[in-house]
Amino acid sequence: MASEATIPEHGRPADELLALIDDRHAEDIDWRGGRAFSLVYNVGDHEHEELIEQVGVRYLHDNALNPFKYPSVLQMELDVIAMGCQLLGTAPNAGALSSGGTESIFLAVQVARDHARQVRGIAEPQLLTPSTAHPAFAKAAKYLDLEHVKVPVGADGRADVAAMEAAMGERTGLVVGSAPCYPFGVIDPIEELAGLAAERGVLFHTDACLGGWILPWWEELGEAVRPWDFRVPGVTSISADVHKYGYAFKGASLVAYRSRELLQHQFFWYDEWPGGLYASGTSAGTRSAAPIAGAWAAINHLGRDGYLRLTEQVRATTRKAQAGIAGIDGVKVSHEPDVSLFEISGDGADIAAIGDVMDDRGWNLDRQQGGLHLMLSPYHAQVIDQFLDDLADAAAHHGESRGVEATYGGVV
Ligand SMILES: Cc1ncc(COP(=O)(O)O)c(C=O)c1O
């Protein structure tokens, strides 16, 4: 696709533009039909979807750059932070709301970099992650000019504690673990890693962008969940996206710290220009108020019982998917996933060729180097039988792989 669009000489009527947009939008991924995984977390509840849309529209034009001009937005932001911090186990004022997981990770990395410089006197701190950490960490290292030390994970897909320990040195400024990691859905041994970091006075970040809003309920349903949150003594920061399993629309993630003192490394105050004191709590300047209001509405509409109900649904679909895959010759689930996302790899069959058949049948599965990525939302309960039938058929009847590359994201 390319564009040579120019600004139209004369404005076009609203109804004409809406009709054009509707036509084009119909060509986009069909997430409402349960055919998308990971890009959208489909609750499958019309009332919930409509509520957050309405709230988004009400706040579409408001700018949270100066929250004190919008007391209603300020209150909602403080509420979302307090509710999220409570879920993760830290003080209600020890977090901030950012635009997404990547921004939350950038902020936690920046806090750790400045903490290492200011408190520990390390001029050039390093960022230490397992190889399964989200690319946002590599991107943060690039943008914040830090050396990224990456350690291969073990055969179980989890961070290798001994190898991570061996990589910790004088310059380590932040150690990272995921709960869970995106590629395999496994939780790293956070307790061990955070303990090693704490012994050395090094900060530790749990990337719970995916797990932050589902693991607490998963545990409450009686599942054994490997420790990952602030109950683990060495964990000093956590990212947890409300726009993933919090079921808000895009643009809302929580970054939380063990103390408000740590969070303060993130704040920015500047008065060396003629425009007066400029203060901001995250990397954005102008911020849309809509995702703040949407997150507030999503959390309050679902409540603890709503999250438990949806998590139960996701758990049942996950179990059904995993049992179904175990019964299909030629494919298997990679590793032992801890929650509702995992990789499907080939077990004698060519997984890339199976992926081609699934593509042809309209399933949008992300491709990884080792297989296909599956991430389940509540709505997938409606389509999981069809999915498994198609997967079984694809495993039994597929041709040569078309060689589709493993990709995630895109640049225009
Ligand atoms: C484990 C993990 N961390 C971080 C991110 C980045 O989040 P975002 O895409 O909202 O920036 C993702 C996104 O899927 C993720 O899965």
Side-chain angles (χ1 to χ4, degrees):
M1 258 193 201
S3 177
E4 293 187 359
T6 54
I7 298 170
E9 200 52 41
H10 303 289
R12 297 166 66 179
D15 55 354
E16 182 187 312
L17 290 173
L18 285 172
L20 176 66
I21 283 171
D22 286 347
D23 268 3
R24 290 183 179 173
H25 201 181
E27 301 290 309
D28 291 347
I29 197 167
D30 174 20
W31 60 266
R32 281 202 178 81
R35 297 269 160 171
F37 302 90
S38 91
L39 287 173
V40 180
Y41 295 69
N42 185 357
V43 183
D45 170 348
H46 190 67
E47 187 178 288
H48 183 80
E49 202 181 307
E50 200 169 293
L51 168 74
I52 58 176
E53 274 173 23
Q54 299 260 340
V55 168
V57 167
R58 278 175 176 64
Y59 281 94
L60 194 58
H61 300 285
D62 296 310
N63 185 350
L65 167 66
N66 185 347
F68 299 103
K69 297 287 179 197
Y70 301 94
S72 71
V73 178
L74 173 62
Q75 189 60 57
M76 287 188 287
E77 183 161 20
L78 291 172
D79 288 352
V80 171
I81 293 168
M83 292 186 285
C85 284
Q86 183 200 35
L87 190 67
L88 303 177
T90 189
N93 65 351
L97 210 52
S98 81
S99 63
T102 300
E103 189 184 358
S104 287
I105 286 167
F106 267 50
L107 292 166
V109 171
Q110 172 262 313
V111 164
R113 182 197 65 182
D114 293 358
H115 176 270
R117 284 184 181 156
Q118 291 159 19
V119 179
R120 295 173 53 219
I122 299 166
E124 294 193 29
Q126 293 169 327
L127 170 64
L128 176 61
T129 76
S131 53
T132 47
H134 191 273
F137 290 96
K139 195 173 171 185
K142 172 182 156 124
Y143 282 37
L144 296 170
D145 196 20
L146 294 177
E147 186 185 345
H148 182 193
V149 178
K150 211 170 47 178
V151 175
V153 295
D156 58 358
R158 299 176 205 278
D160 176 336
V161 176
M164 289 285 284
E165 181 176 16
M168 291 181 196
E170 290 296 308
R171 286 173 52 215
T172 307
L174 183 68
V175 180
V176 172
S178 307
C181 72
Y182 176 89
F184 307 133
V186 299
I187 300 176
D188 286 323
I190 305 279
E191 245 176 345
E192 291 90 328
L193 294 174
L196 290 168
E199 278 169 19
R200 292 161 173 77
V202 174
L203 300 189
F204 183 90
H205 183 82
T206 300
D207 177 13
C209 282
L210 281 172
W213 288 85
I214 191 166
L215 289 173
W217 322 113
W218 199 264
E219 183 180 345
E220 212 167 309
L221 289 175
E223 297 291 329
V225 173
R226 290 161 192 272
W228 60 277
D229 60 17
F230 286 114
R231 287 173 292 179
V232 177
V235 171
T236 53
S237 60
I238 300 179
S239 45
D241 295 355
V242 199
H243 69 198
K244 293 192 169 77
Y245 281 111
Y247 305 117
F249 59 82
K250 301 299 171 219
S253 165
L254 180 74
V255 57
Y257 296 87
R258 180 163 289 282
S259 67
R260 187 164 171 88
E261 198 188 344
L262 267 179
L263 166 67
Q264 277 164 349
H265 287 280
Q266 193 181 291
F267 295 161
F268 180 76
W269 282 278
Y270 186 78
D271 63 1
E272 293 164 36
W273 75 319
L277 176 64
Y278 179 99
S280 67
T282 59
S283 47
T286 284
R287 294 186 299 149
S288 172
I292 298 170
W296 186 91
I299 299 167
N300 279 291
H301 186 239
L302 290 172
R304 298 179 60 83
D305 57 353
Y307 280 115
L308 280 166
R309 174 172 41 82
L310 294 176
T311 303
E312 211 162 358
Q313 207 171 323
V314 169
R315 180 177 67 165
T317 311
T318 303
R319 298 284 180 260
K320 193 171 195 179
Q322 290 171 343
I325 291 163
I328 299 173
D329 276 347
V331 295
K332 64 176 187 336
V333 170
S334 304
H335 309 300
E336 289 180 21
D338 287 306
V339 67
S340 48
L341 57 132
F342 48 88
E343 180 185 79
I344 306 171
S345 47
D347 191 18
D350 180 350
I351 195 67
I354 293 172
D356 295 342
V357 179
M358 296 302 275
D359 283 352
D360 293 343
R361 297 194 177 185
W363 298 103
N364 294 277
L365 295 163
D366 285 326
R367 305 265 184 150
Q368 310 201 130
Q369 285 89 338
L372 307 172
H373 192 264
L374 193 69
M375 161 119 63
L376 296 159
S377 312
Y379 186 79
H380 290 127
Q382 315 291 321
V383 298
I384 194 65
D385 291 325
Q386 179 67 55
F387 176 86
L388 289 168
D389 286 351
D390 282 351
L391 186 66
D393 207 36
H397 309 103
H398 60 80
E400 289 276 300
S401 158
R402 296 197 286 257
V404 176
E405 248 184 283
T407 54
Y408 179 71
V411 172
V412 294

